[in-house]
mmCIF file with all atom_site columns, all heavy atoms in Angstrom:
data_model
loop_
_atom_site.group_PDB
_atom_site.id
_atom_site.type_symbol
_atom_site.label_atom_id
_atom_site.label_alt_id
_atom_site.label_comp_id
_atom_site.label_asym_id
_atom_site.label_entity_id
_atom_site.label_seq_id
_atom_site.pdbx_PDB_ins_code
_atom_site.Cartn_x
_atom_site.Cartn_y
_atom_site.Cartn_z
_atom_site.occupancy
_atom_site.B_iso_or_equiv
_atom_site.pdbx_formal_charge
_atom_site.auth_seq_id
_atom_site.auth_comp_id
_atom_site.auth_asym_id
_atom_site.auth_atom_id
_atom_site.pdbx_PDB_model_num
ATOM 1   N N   . GLY A 1 18  ? 6.297   0.447   -17.125 1.00 69.00 ? 18  GLY A N   1
ATOM 2   C CA  . GLY A 1 18  ? 5.342   -0.704  -17.174 1.00 69.00 ? 18  GLY A CA  1
ATOM 3   C C   . GLY A 1 18  ? 5.727   -1.868  -16.285 1.00 69.00 ? 18  GLY A C   1
ATOM 4   O O   . GLY A 1 18  ? 4.933   -2.435  -15.667 1.00 69.00 ? 18  GLY A O   1
ATOM 5   N N   . GLU A 1 49  ? -16.692 -15.979 16.599  1.00 81.00 ? 49  GLU A N   1
ATOM 6   C CA  . GLU A 1 49  ? -17.184 -15.067 17.643  1.00 81.00 ? 49  GLU A CA  1
ATOM 7   C C   . GLU A 1 49  ? -16.582 -13.587 17.442  1.00 81.00 ? 49  GLU A C   1
ATOM 8   O O   . GLU A 1 49  ? -16.272 -12.865 18.303  1.00 81.00 ? 49  GLU A O   1
ATOM 9   C CB  . GLU A 1 49  ? -16.725 -15.518 19.002  1.00 81.00 ? 49  GLU A CB  1
ATOM 10  C CG  . GLU A 1 49  ? -17.353 -16.831 19.451  1.00 81.00 ? 49  GLU A CG  1
ATOM 11  C CD  . GLU A 1 49  ? -16.938 -17.226 20.794  1.00 81.00 ? 49  GLU A CD  1
ATOM 12  O OE1 . GLU A 1 49  ? -16.207 -16.500 21.456  1.00 81.00 ? 49  GLU A OE1 1
ATOM 13  O OE2 . GLU A 1 49  ? -17.427 -18.327 21.351  1.00 81.00 ? 49  GLU A OE2 1
ATOM 14  N N   . PHE A 1 83  ? -13.648 2.330   -3.673  1.00 87.00 ? 83  PHE A N   1
ATOM 15  C CA  . PHE A 1 83  ? -13.094 3.409   -2.676  1.00 87.00 ? 83  PHE A CA  1
ATOM 16  C C   . PHE A 1 83  ? -14.401 4.020   -2.030  1.00 87.00 ? 83  PHE A C   1
ATOM 17  O O   . PHE A 1 83  ? -14.288 4.484   -0.820  1.00 87.00 ? 83  PHE A O   1
ATOM 18  C CB  . PHE A 1 83  ? -12.276 4.393   -3.403  1.00 87.00 ? 83  PHE A CB  1
ATOM 19  C CG  . PHE A 1 83  ? -10.871 4.035   -3.576  1.00 87.00 ? 83  PHE A CG  1
ATOM 20  C CD1 . PHE A 1 83  ? -10.040 4.712   -4.536  1.00 87.00 ? 83  PHE A CD1 1
ATOM 21  C CD2 . PHE A 1 83  ? -10.260 3.001   -2.862  1.00 87.00 ? 83  PHE A CD2 1
ATOM 22  C CE1 . PHE A 1 83  ? -8.783  4.302   -4.739  1.00 87.00 ? 83  PHE A CE1 1
ATOM 23  C CE2 . PHE A 1 83  ? -8.991  2.573   -2.952  1.00 87.00 ? 83  PHE A CE2 1
ATOM 24  C CZ  . PHE A 1 83  ? -8.223  3.342   -3.997  1.00 87.00 ? 83  PHE A CZ  1
ATOM 25  N N   . HIS A 1 142 ? -25.094 -0.936  -3.707  1.00 68.00 ? 142 HIS A N   1
ATOM 26  C CA  . HIS A 1 142 ? -25.859 -1.536  -2.616  1.00 68.00 ? 142 HIS A CA  1
ATOM 27  C C   . HIS A 1 142 ? -26.290 -2.999  -2.855  1.00 68.00 ? 142 HIS A C   1
ATOM 28  O O   . HIS A 1 142 ? -27.361 -3.408  -2.474  1.00 68.00 ? 142 HIS A O   1
ATOM 29  C CB  . HIS A 1 142 ? -27.116 -0.677  -2.406  1.00 68.00 ? 142 HIS A CB  1
ATOM 30  C CG  . HIS A 1 142 ? -26.807 0.771   -2.075  1.00 68.00 ? 142 HIS A CG  1
ATOM 31  N ND1 . HIS A 1 142 ? -26.570 1.222   -0.788  1.00 68.00 ? 142 HIS A ND1 1
ATOM 32  C CD2 . HIS A 1 142 ? -26.712 1.894   -2.923  1.00 68.00 ? 142 HIS A CD2 1
ATOM 33  C CE1 . HIS A 1 142 ? -26.406 2.542   -0.854  1.00 68.00 ? 142 HIS A CE1 1
ATOM 34  N NE2 . HIS A 1 142 ? -26.463 2.950   -2.062  1.00 68.00 ? 142 HIS A NE2 1
ATOM 35  N N   . SER A 1 164 ? -22.737 12.278  5.460   1.00 41.00 ? 164 SER A N   1
ATOM 36  C CA  . SER A 1 164 ? -23.166 12.828  6.748   1.00 41.00 ? 164 SER A CA  1
ATOM 37  C C   . SER A 1 164 ? -22.071 13.141  7.665   1.00 41.00 ? 164 SER A C   1
ATOM 38  O O   . SER A 1 164 ? -22.041 14.242  8.345   1.00 41.00 ? 164 SER A O   1
ATOM 39  C CB  . SER A 1 164 ? -24.128 11.924  7.443   1.00 41.00 ? 164 SER A CB  1
ATOM 40  O OG  . SER A 1 164 ? -23.542 10.701  7.645   1.00 41.00 ? 164 SER A OG  1
ATOM 41  N N   . THR A 1 187 ? -14.817 37.633  -12.421 1.00 88.00 ? 187 THR A N   1
ATOM 42  C CA  . THR A 1 187 ? -15.561 36.599  -11.808 1.00 88.00 ? 187 THR A CA  1
ATOM 43  C C   . THR A 1 187 ? -15.187 35.247  -12.324 1.00 88.00 ? 187 THR A C   1
ATOM 44  O O   . THR A 1 187 ? -15.383 35.059  -13.581 1.00 88.00 ? 187 THR A O   1
ATOM 45  C CB  . THR A 1 187 ? -17.093 36.847  -11.835 1.00 88.00 ? 187 THR A CB  1
ATOM 46  O OG1 . THR A 1 187 ? -17.412 38.101  -11.222 1.00 88.00 ? 187 THR A OG1 1
ATOM 47  C CG2 . THR A 1 187 ? -17.891 35.781  -11.147 1.00 88.00 ? 187 THR A CG2 1
ATOM 48  N N   . ALA A 1 226 ? -10.469 39.489  19.621  1.00 83.00 ? 226 ALA A N   1
ATOM 49  C CA  . ALA A 1 226 ? -10.489 38.052  19.764  1.00 83.00 ? 226 ALA A CA  1
ATOM 50  C C   . ALA A 1 226 ? -11.576 37.508  18.852  1.00 83.00 ? 226 ALA A C   1
ATOM 51  O O   . ALA A 1 226 ? -11.419 36.380  18.356  1.00 83.00 ? 226 ALA A O   1
ATOM 52  C CB  . ALA A 1 226 ? -10.693 37.700  21.219  1.00 83.00 ? 226 ALA A CB  1
ATOM 53  N N   . TYR A 1 228 ? -12.258 38.291  15.905  1.00 88.00 ? 228 TYR A N   1
ATOM 54  C CA  . TYR A 1 228 ? -11.724 38.127  14.533  1.00 88.00 ? 228 TYR A CA  1
ATOM 55  C C   . TYR A 1 228 ? -11.103 36.885  14.276  1.00 88.00 ? 228 TYR A C   1
ATOM 56  O O   . TYR A 1 228 ? -10.935 36.489  13.102  1.00 88.00 ? 228 TYR A O   1
ATOM 57  C CB  . TYR A 1 228 ? -10.764 39.369  14.310  1.00 88.00 ? 228 TYR A CB  1
ATOM 58  C CG  . TYR A 1 228 ? -11.355 40.664  13.814  1.00 88.00 ? 228 TYR A CG  1
ATOM 59  C CD1 . TYR A 1 228 ? -12.055 41.405  14.738  1.00 88.00 ? 228 TYR A CD1 1
ATOM 60  C CD2 . TYR A 1 228 ? -11.291 41.106  12.580  1.00 88.00 ? 228 TYR A CD2 1
ATOM 61  C CE1 . TYR A 1 228 ? -12.587 42.722  14.371  1.00 88.00 ? 228 TYR A CE1 1
ATOM 62  C CE2 . TYR A 1 228 ? -11.888 42.239  12.070  1.00 88.00 ? 228 TYR A CE2 1
ATOM 63  C CZ  . TYR A 1 228 ? -12.545 43.052  13.005  1.00 88.00 ? 228 TYR A CZ  1
ATOM 64  O OH  . TYR A 1 228 ? -13.131 44.277  12.602  1.00 88.00 ? 228 TYR A OH  1
ATOM 65  N N   . LEU A 1 232 ? -10.418 34.598  10.881  1.00 87.00 ? 232 LEU A N   1
ATOM 66  C CA  . LEU A 1 232 ? -9.071  34.328  10.357  1.00 87.00 ? 232 LEU A CA  1
ATOM 67  C C   . LEU A 1 232 ? -8.766  32.900  10.117  1.00 87.00 ? 232 LEU A C   1
ATOM 68  O O   . LEU A 1 232 ? -8.072  32.531  9.187   1.00 87.00 ? 232 LEU A O   1
ATOM 69  C CB  . LEU A 1 232 ? -8.055  34.970  11.384  1.00 87.00 ? 232 LEU A CB  1
ATOM 70  C CG  . LEU A 1 232 ? -7.960  36.489  11.419  1.00 87.00 ? 232 LEU A CG  1
ATOM 71  C CD1 . LEU A 1 232 ? -7.048  36.936  12.477  1.00 87.00 ? 232 LEU A CD1 1
ATOM 72  C CD2 . LEU A 1 232 ? -7.477  37.004  9.995   1.00 87.00 ? 232 LEU A CD2 1
ATOM 73  N N   . GLY A 1 253 ? 0.414   18.425  -14.651 1.00 83.00 ? 253 GLY A N   1
ATOM 74  C CA  . GLY A 1 253 ? 0.950   18.945  -15.956 1.00 83.00 ? 253 GLY A CA  1
ATOM 75  C C   . GLY A 1 253 ? 0.088   19.924  -16.550 1.00 83.00 ? 253 GLY A C   1
ATOM 76  O O   . GLY A 1 253 ? 0.205   20.201  -17.771 1.00 83.00 ? 253 GLY A O   1
ATOM 77  N N   . ARG A 1 268 ? -6.667  32.559  -5.837  1.00 90.00 ? 268 ARG A N   1
ATOM 78  C CA  . ARG A 1 268 ? -5.571  32.785  -4.897  1.00 90.00 ? 268 ARG A CA  1
ATOM 79  C C   . ARG A 1 268 ? -5.447  34.262  -4.388  1.00 90.00 ? 268 ARG A C   1
ATOM 80  O O   . ARG A 1 268 ? -5.274  34.573  -3.295  1.00 90.00 ? 268 ARG A O   1
ATOM 81  C CB  . ARG A 1 268 ? -4.238  32.343  -5.525  1.00 90.00 ? 268 ARG A CB  1
ATOM 82  C CG  . ARG A 1 268 ? -2.979  32.685  -4.687  1.00 90.00 ? 268 ARG A CG  1
ATOM 83  C CD  . ARG A 1 268 ? -1.710  32.448  -5.573  1.00 90.00 ? 268 ARG A CD  1
ATOM 84  N NE  . ARG A 1 268 ? -0.506  32.956  -4.859  1.00 90.00 ? 268 ARG A NE  1
ATOM 85  C CZ  . ARG A 1 268 ? 0.650   33.146  -5.354  1.00 90.00 ? 268 ARG A CZ  1
ATOM 86  N NH1 . ARG A 1 268 ? 0.858   32.806  -6.612  1.00 90.00 ? 268 ARG A NH1 1
ATOM 87  N NH2 . ARG A 1 268 ? 1.611   33.545  -4.745  1.00 90.00 ? 268 ARG A NH2 1
ATOM 88  N N   . ARG A 1 279 ? -6.654  40.499  8.792   1.00 90.00 ? 279 ARG A N   1
ATOM 89  C CA  . ARG A 1 279 ? -5.595  40.716  9.780   1.00 90.00 ? 279 ARG A CA  1
ATOM 90  C C   . ARG A 1 279 ? -5.448  42.201  10.079  1.00 90.00 ? 279 ARG A C   1
ATOM 91  O O   . ARG A 1 279 ? -5.187  42.531  11.247  1.00 90.00 ? 279 ARG A O   1
ATOM 92  C CB  . ARG A 1 279 ? -4.287  40.144  9.143   1.00 90.00 ? 279 ARG A CB  1
ATOM 93  C CG  . ARG A 1 279 ? -4.213  38.614  9.113   1.00 90.00 ? 279 ARG A CG  1
ATOM 94  C CD  . ARG A 1 279 ? -2.947  38.222  8.547   1.00 90.00 ? 279 ARG A CD  1
ATOM 95  N NE  . ARG A 1 279 ? -2.795  36.705  8.514   1.00 90.00 ? 279 ARG A NE  1
ATOM 96  C CZ  . ARG A 1 279 ? -1.870  36.005  7.844   1.00 90.00 ? 279 ARG A CZ  1
ATOM 97  N NH1 . ARG A 1 279 ? -1.009  36.711  7.050   1.00 90.00 ? 279 ARG A NH1 1
ATOM 98  N NH2 . ARG A 1 279 ? -1.845  34.749  7.893   1.00 90.00 ? 279 ARG A NH2 1
ATOM 99  N N   . GLY A 1 292 ? -6.653  54.460  16.706  1.00 86.00 ? 292 GLY A N   1
ATOM 100 C CA  . GLY A 1 292 ? -5.645  54.996  17.562  1.00 86.00 ? 292 GLY A CA  1
ATOM 101 C C   . GLY A 1 292 ? -5.326  56.466  17.394  1.00 86.00 ? 292 GLY A C   1
ATOM 102 O O   . GLY A 1 292 ? -4.501  56.992  18.010  1.00 86.00 ? 292 GLY A O   1
ATOM 103 N N   . GLU A 1 329 ? 3.043   49.497  22.038  1.00 90.00 ? 329 GLU A N   1
ATOM 104 C CA  . GLU A 1 329 ? 2.194   48.440  21.451  1.00 90.00 ? 329 GLU A CA  1
ATOM 105 C C   . GLU A 1 329 ? 1.457   48.888  20.208  1.00 90.00 ? 329 GLU A C   1
ATOM 106 O O   . GLU A 1 329 ? 1.316   48.147  19.236  1.00 90.00 ? 329 GLU A O   1
ATOM 107 C CB  . GLU A 1 329 ? 1.202   47.907  22.554  1.00 90.00 ? 329 GLU A CB  1
ATOM 108 C CG  . GLU A 1 329 ? 1.937   47.226  23.715  1.00 90.00 ? 329 GLU A CG  1
ATOM 109 C CD  . GLU A 1 329 ? 0.904   46.862  24.828  1.00 90.00 ? 329 GLU A CD  1
ATOM 110 O OE1 . GLU A 1 329 ? -0.289  47.113  24.610  1.00 90.00 ? 329 GLU A OE1 1
ATOM 111 O OE2 . GLU A 1 329 ? 1.291   46.249  25.806  1.00 90.00 ? 329 GLU A OE2 1
ATOM 112 N N   . ALA A 1 351 ? -0.112  44.341  -8.803  1.00 86.00 ? 351 ALA A N   1
ATOM 113 C CA  . ALA A 1 351 ? 0.776   45.401  -9.246  1.00 86.00 ? 351 ALA A CA  1
ATOM 114 C C   . ALA A 1 351 ? 0.280   46.043  -10.476 1.00 86.00 ? 351 ALA A C   1
ATOM 115 O O   . ALA A 1 351 ? 0.529   47.212  -10.821 1.00 86.00 ? 351 ALA A O   1
ATOM 116 C CB  . ALA A 1 351 ? 2.183   44.881  -9.356  1.00 86.00 ? 351 ALA A CB  1
ATOM 117 N N   . GLN A 1 354 ? -3.766  49.641  -11.375 1.00 87.00 ? 354 GLN A N   1
ATOM 118 C CA  . GLN A 1 354 ? -3.293  50.932  -10.893 1.00 87.00 ? 354 GLN A CA  1
ATOM 119 C C   . GLN A 1 354 ? -4.242  51.524  -9.902  1.00 87.00 ? 354 GLN A C   1
ATOM 120 O O   . GLN A 1 354 ? -3.838  52.165  -8.888  1.00 87.00 ? 354 GLN A O   1
ATOM 121 C CB  . GLN A 1 354 ? -3.152  51.923  -12.115 1.00 87.00 ? 354 GLN A CB  1
ATOM 122 C CG  . GLN A 1 354 ? -2.106  51.460  -13.085 1.00 87.00 ? 354 GLN A CG  1
ATOM 123 C CD  . GLN A 1 354 ? -2.008  52.510  -14.166 1.00 87.00 ? 354 GLN A CD  1
ATOM 124 O OE1 . GLN A 1 354 ? -2.697  53.473  -14.321 1.00 87.00 ? 354 GLN A OE1 1
ATOM 125 N NE2 . GLN A 1 354 ? -1.039  52.251  -15.069 1.00 87.00 ? 354 GLN A NE2 1
ATOM 126 N N   . ALA A 1 368 ? 0.833   55.661  8.178   1.00 92.00 ? 368 ALA A N   1
ATOM 127 C CA  . ALA A 1 368 ? 1.992   56.377  8.425   1.00 92.00 ? 368 ALA A CA  1
ATOM 128 C C   . ALA A 1 368 ? 1.759   57.662  9.242   1.00 92.00 ? 368 ALA A C   1
ATOM 129 O O   . ALA A 1 368 ? 2.478   57.947  10.192  1.00 92.00 ? 368 ALA A O   1
ATOM 130 C CB  . ALA A 1 368 ? 2.810   56.682  7.146   1.00 92.00 ? 368 ALA A CB  1
ATOM 131 N N   . ALA A 1 388 ? 7.811   66.495  19.291  1.00 90.00 ? 388 ALA A N   1
ATOM 132 C CA  . ALA A 1 388 ? 6.372   66.292  19.013  1.00 90.00 ? 388 ALA A CA  1
ATOM 133 C C   . ALA A 1 388 ? 5.827   67.120  17.944  1.00 90.00 ? 388 ALA A C   1
ATOM 134 O O   . ALA A 1 388 ? 5.095   66.657  17.065  1.00 90.00 ? 388 ALA A O   1
ATOM 135 C CB  . ALA A 1 388 ? 5.522   66.476  20.317  1.00 90.00 ? 388 ALA A CB  1
ATOM 136 N N   . GLY A 1 435 ? -5.690  70.287  15.394  1.00 90.00 ? 435 GLY A N   1
ATOM 137 C CA  . GLY A 1 435 ? -5.760  70.833  16.747  1.00 90.00 ? 435 GLY A CA  1
ATOM 138 C C   . GLY A 1 435 ? -4.516  70.541  17.517  1.00 90.00 ? 435 GLY A C   1
ATOM 139 O O   . GLY A 1 435 ? -4.081  71.331  18.331  1.00 90.00 ? 435 GLY A O   1
ATOM 140 N N   . GLY A 1 463 ? 24.091  72.446  30.846  1.00 65.00 ? 463 GLY A N   1
ATOM 141 C CA  . GLY A 1 463 ? 24.464  72.070  29.526  1.00 65.00 ? 463 GLY A CA  1
ATOM 142 C C   . GLY A 1 463 ? 25.142  70.795  29.377  1.00 65.00 ? 463 GLY A C   1
ATOM 143 O O   . GLY A 1 463 ? 25.870  70.373  30.285  1.00 65.00 ? 463 GLY A O   1
ATOM 144 N N   . LEU A 1 480 ? 34.853  75.869  27.694  1.00 81.00 ? 480 LEU A N   1
ATOM 145 C CA  . LEU A 1 480 ? 36.079  75.035  27.675  1.00 81.00 ? 480 LEU A CA  1
ATOM 146 C C   . LEU A 1 480 ? 36.215  74.112  28.820  1.00 81.00 ? 480 LEU A C   1
ATOM 147 O O   . LEU A 1 480 ? 37.006  73.147  28.784  1.00 81.00 ? 480 LEU A O   1
ATOM 148 C CB  . LEU A 1 480 ? 37.341  75.902  27.541  1.00 81.00 ? 480 LEU A CB  1
ATOM 149 C CG  . LEU A 1 480 ? 37.397  76.854  26.302  1.00 81.00 ? 480 LEU A CG  1
ATOM 150 C CD1 . LEU A 1 480 ? 38.646  77.606  26.352  1.00 81.00 ? 480 LEU A CD1 1
ATOM 151 C CD2 . LEU A 1 480 ? 37.201  76.004  25.006  1.00 81.00 ? 480 LEU A CD2 1
ATOM 152 N N   . PRO A 1 601 ? 10.300  53.729  20.774  1.00 37.00 ? 601 PRO A N   1
ATOM 153 C CA  . PRO A 1 601 ? 9.340   52.676  20.013  1.00 37.00 ? 601 PRO A CA  1
ATOM 154 C C   . PRO A 1 601 ? 9.313   52.983  18.545  1.00 37.00 ? 601 PRO A C   1
ATOM 155 O O   . PRO A 1 601 ? 8.767   52.196  17.837  1.00 37.00 ? 601 PRO A O   1
ATOM 156 C CB  . PRO A 1 601 ? 7.954   52.978  20.698  1.00 37.00 ? 601 PRO A CB  1
ATOM 157 C CG  . PRO A 1 601 ? 8.038   54.390  21.180  1.00 37.00 ? 601 PRO A CG  1
ATOM 158 C CD  . PRO A 1 601 ? 9.512   54.652  21.520  1.00 37.00 ? 601 PRO A CD  1
ATOM 159 N N   . GLY A 1 625 ? 16.527  67.448  30.153  1.00 37.00 ? 625 GLY A N   1
ATOM 160 C CA  . GLY A 1 625 ? 17.452  66.769  31.073  1.00 37.00 ? 625 GLY A CA  1
ATOM 161 C C   . GLY A 1 625 ? 17.776  65.416  30.651  1.00 37.00 ? 625 GLY A C   1
ATOM 162 O O   . GLY A 1 625 ? 18.411  64.694  31.415  1.00 37.00 ? 625 GLY A O   1
ATOM 163 N N   . ARG A 1 643 ? 13.008  35.621  37.372  1.00 66.00 ? 643 ARG A N   1
ATOM 164 C CA  . ARG A 1 643 ? 14.474  35.326  37.384  1.00 66.00 ? 643 ARG A CA  1
ATOM 165 C C   . ARG A 1 643 ? 14.721  33.912  37.909  1.00 66.00 ? 643 ARG A C   1
ATOM 166 O O   . ARG A 1 643 ? 15.819  33.347  37.769  1.00 66.00 ? 643 ARG A O   1
ATOM 167 C CB  . ARG A 1 643 ? 15.206  36.324  38.288  1.00 66.00 ? 643 ARG A CB  1
ATOM 168 C CG  . ARG A 1 643 ? 15.344  37.752  37.643  1.00 66.00 ? 643 ARG A CG  1
ATOM 169 C CD  . ARG A 1 643 ? 16.530  38.534  38.336  1.00 66.00 ? 643 ARG A CD  1
ATOM 170 N NE  . ARG A 1 643 ? 16.162  38.864  39.713  1.00 66.00 ? 643 ARG A NE  1
ATOM 171 C CZ  . ARG A 1 643 ? 15.622  39.934  40.108  1.00 66.00 ? 643 ARG A CZ  1
ATOM 172 N NH1 . ARG A 1 643 ? 15.135  40.783  39.095  1.00 66.00 ? 643 ARG A NH1 1
ATOM 173 N NH2 . ARG A 1 643 ? 15.248  40.120  41.345  1.00 66.00 ? 643 ARG A NH2 1
ATOM 174 N N   . VAL A 1 649 ? 10.913  25.698  27.481  1.00 91.00 ? 649 VAL A N   1
ATOM 175 C CA  . VAL A 1 649 ? 10.702  24.841  26.286  1.00 91.00 ? 649 VAL A CA  1
ATOM 176 C C   . VAL A 1 649 ? 9.448   25.301  25.663  1.00 91.00 ? 649 VAL A C   1
ATOM 177 O O   . VAL A 1 649 ? 8.339   25.427  26.361  1.00 91.00 ? 649 VAL A O   1
ATOM 178 C CB  . VAL A 1 649 ? 10.555  23.383  26.685  1.00 91.00 ? 649 VAL A CB  1
ATOM 179 C CG1 . VAL A 1 649 ? 10.269  22.566  25.475  1.00 91.00 ? 649 VAL A CG1 1
ATOM 180 C CG2 . VAL A 1 649 ? 11.850  22.898  27.273  1.00 91.00 ? 649 VAL A CG2 1
ATOM 181 N N   . GLY A 1 690 ? -1.249  10.194  23.030  1.00 86.00 ? 690 GLY A N   1
ATOM 182 C CA  . GLY A 1 690 ? -2.161  10.032  24.128  1.00 86.00 ? 690 GLY A CA  1
ATOM 183 C C   . GLY A 1 690 ? -1.773  10.800  25.385  1.00 86.00 ? 690 GLY A C   1
ATOM 184 O O   . GLY A 1 690 ? -2.064  10.238  26.497  1.00 86.00 ? 690 GLY A O   1
#
Side-chain angles (χ1 to χ4, degrees):
E49 298 181 356
F83 280 161
H142 301 272
S164 59
T187 300
Y228 275 74
L232 288 172
R268 172 193 171 190
R279 286 177 179 170
E329 294 176 359
Q354 295 183 357
L480 300 179
R643 286 199 296 269
V649 176

